[in-house]
Amino acid sequence: MENMLVTGGYGFIGSNFVRYLLDESDYEGRIINVDSLTYAGNPENLAGIEETYGDRYVFVKGDVCDGERMDRLFDEYQLDSVCHFAAESHVDRSIVGPGAFIQTNIVGTFNLLEASRSHQGQVELFHHISTDEVFGSLGKEGLFMETTPYQPNSPYSASKASSDHLVRAYHETYGLPVTISNCSNNYGPYQFPEKLIPLVIQNAREDKPLPIYGDGKNIRDWLYVRDHCTAVWTIMKNGKKGETYNVGGNHEMENIRIVEIICDLIDALPHMNAKPSRRSLITYVKDRLGHDRRYAIDSSKLKNDLGWVPEESFQTGIEKTLAWYLAHQEWIDRVRSGAYQEWIRDHYEA
Ligand code: NAD
Ligand code: TYD
């Protein structure tokens, strides 16, 4: 892996991954970050990387939906590996407008697979980043296994499921060397403040309502983003081709509990007025359509086969996350400006 294509490297997880690879991991090659800079892509997420790493980091503004362009990139940069993050990633947006999800998540993945197929021999690995949401919703008991049948419920998860199937099929049909990871909910620095944790941190700091969909008892498994990055790199280095690996944090929690924890942490900050508690900002709003009740993931395959375990507990991860958001108010102001504000008003009113 000397010339790695990272798609979506200016998004939340992609930018954390690029930083992890360059700053912390044993990767010694070059990264070519292809990102079309949607609302979720922000060059500021990798500020200082070009200056620090020179030729080892290249940014190409490009759309994965442009198949010819993607194909040319494999020659231009002699790409030998792919880590595919680029996607439309927000469930609520997929409910309002599924079209972009079909294009980027399905057609975009197809284009990258085709480009990899036409450079077979040159490409030694195509790693596809997916989600546990492809498995659908759990009842009170049980965990998602790699063998759990797919049953996606939202346009987002259906588009991710579709891309997973394409990746798998390219391995079975053409022998493309692929690996897939299905990860639970990530949180941490650089997450766009439309997702639950950064949204709640920001609203709580500004004394704005904290919207809880439905009864707040929906459950997600939470993984600190750096732990996701170490998992992806472990799989890319040592994973078996054609295999899927589940990645989770072993931190199942009801949404309402997450919000309460964040409120309490902010109340306890020395310069914050805690009276009344920020919990009083919690506002129950209309439920999300088709809202999955519970996600929980069994990542014992990744642990047993490749020795990966997450480092952060939810407590340490959320404290780090809060500290990062408190120190980066300008970043938040910039990503929340303009059209996003309008959108958030339209979609999150109580
Ligand atoms: P994000 O929305 O923060 O970032 C997506 C990035 O992809 C942005 O930089 C955006 O500009 C880019 N992009 C979007 N459409 C593109 C296109 N057509 N061409 C090129 N670039 C494009 O997403 P994220 O939360 O960082 O998620 C990254 C990946 O991880 C996605 O595949 C997502 O499905 C998966 N995932 C996310 C989570 C999570 O909790 N965030 C959990 C499991 C899996
Ligand atoms: P989200 O961060 O959008 O991730 P995902 O839908 O991919 O799991 O939402 C996490 C959970 O929080 C989900 O059950 C929906 C819920 N939620 C709220 O209750 N209020 C909010 O404002 C948001 C954004 C999410």
Side-chain angles (χ1 to χ4, degrees):
M1 291 190 260
E2 284 175 12
N3 292 301
M4 186 193 298
L5 173 66
V6 173
T7 68
Y10 277 141
F12 163 47
I13 307 174
S15 62
N16 275 281
F17 183 69
V18 170
R19 278 188 193 283
Y20 169 74
L21 271 195
L22 294 173
D23 289 342
E24 295 189 61
S25 82
D26 55 354
Y27 180 66
E28 291 180 343
R30 178 167 69 147
I31 292 173
I32 293 86
N33 170 17
V34 171
D35 197 304
S36 64
L37 296 178
T38 67
Y39 78 97
N42 181 356
E44 226 184 307
N45 295 359
L46 287 178
I49 287 288
E50 266 168 334
E51 292 78 358
T52 309
Y53 290 98
D55 293 349
R56 287 191 61 208
Y57 173 79
V58 179
F59 170 59
V60 177
K61 186 171 183 306
D63 191 330
V64 297
C65 298
D66 182 346
E68 282 176 22
R69 181 92 194 283
M70 291 304 112
D71 192 72
R72 280 201 309 276
L73 288 179
F74 280 70
D75 293 325
E76 226 173 291
Y77 294 99
Q78 284 301 299
L79 300 175
D80 55 22
S81 44
V82 178
C83 187
H84 178 34
F85 290 96
E88 287 292 338
S89 68
H90 191 38
V91 174
D92 292 329
R93 286 180 188 258
S94 84
I95 295 168
V96 176
F101 289 72
I102 305 305
Q103 289 307 316
T104 291
N105 300 2
I106 306 178
V107 178
T109 302
F110 164 72
N111 288 337
L112 291 166
L113 288 166
E114 276 292 277
S116 301
R117 180 165 81 96
S118 73
H119 294 83
Q120 201 133 341
Q122 178 180 319
V123 175
E124 62 189 69
L125 178 66
F126 186 108
H127 181 73
H128 179 60
I129 305 289
S130 191
T131 165
D132 61 357
E133 304 193 23
V134 296
F135 298 119
S137 187
L138 289 164
K140 281 199 169 61
E141 302 292 320
L143 301 169
F144 295 134
M145 313 285 294
E146 284 81 1
T147 49
T148 303
Y150 276 30
Q151 201 169 50
N153 292 319
S154 71
Y156 164 67
S157 54
S159 68
K160 292 297 291 186
S162 174
S163 65
D164 293 7
H165 288 320
L166 282 171
V167 174
R168 192 182 161 281
Y170 270 63
H171 175 73
E172 294 297 323
T173 305
Y174 305 114
L176 197 71
V178 311
T179 45
I180 299 176
S181 50
N182 292 87
C183 187
S184 59
N185 284 58
N186 284 219
Y187 67 101
Y190 300 106
Q191 186 167 32
F192 195 82
E194 65 185 350
K195 306 277 165 66
L196 181 69
I197 288 183
L199 178 83
V200 165
I201 291 176
Q202 194 52 28
N203 282 12
R205 289 177 65 196
E206 294 173 350
D207 287 327
K208 288 184 182 160
L210 310 178
I212 300 277
Y213 299 166
D215 64 3
K217 293 188 189 303
N218 298 64
I219 291 174
R220 299 290 182 264
D221 170 74
W222 295 93
L223 181 71
Y224 190 66
V225 64
R226 185 180 175 281
D227 282 329
H228 187 189
C229 295
T230 61
V232 169
W233 185 227
T234 300
I235 297 165
M236 289 184 79
K237 284 199 300 184
N238 302 319
K240 196 165 160 219
K241 303 294 185 299
E243 294 278 317
T244 287
Y245 296 87
N246 280 354
V247 188
N250 291 325
H251 293 298
E252 270 186 63
M253 227 176 297
E254 287 183 350
N255 294 335
I256 184 66
R257 188 65 201 126
I258 299 270
V259 176
E260 286 170 353
I261 290 172
I262 294 171
C263 288
D264 297 349
L265 283 172
I266 295 179
D267 283 348
L269 291 169
H271 53 289
M272 290 287 183
N273 181 0
K275 286 195 176 69
S277 157
R278 278 167 184 76
R279 288 187 184 206
S280 63
L281 298 169
I282 291 173
T283 308
Y284 288 90
V285 299
K286 202 157 102 357
D287 207 357
R288 172 186 280 174
L289 296 176
H291 196 176
D292 285 338
R293 193 63 175 169
R294 174 171 168 256
Y295 302 146
I297 205 151
D298 181 332
S299 37
S300 55
K301 177 177 173 183
L302 184 53
K303 183 180 172 197
N304 296 337
D305 292 4
L306 306 183
W308 174 87
V309 281
E311 278 181 18
E312 301 291 342
S313 67
F314 187 74
Q315 192 61 31
T316 58
I318 196 72
E319 282 170 8
K320 284 184 182 177
T321 304
L322 180 59
W324 188 87
Y325 279 93
L326 291 174
H328 291 82
Q329 184 57 45
E330 283 174 10
W331 180 90
I332 294 159
D333 290 342
R334 278 195 285 274
V335 299
R336 288 200 321 173
S337 64
Y340 176 65
Q341 277 305 319
E342 241 172 68
W343 190 88
I344 212 164
R345 265 198 304 276
D346 289 344
H347 295 278
Y348 290 104
E349 296 293 17

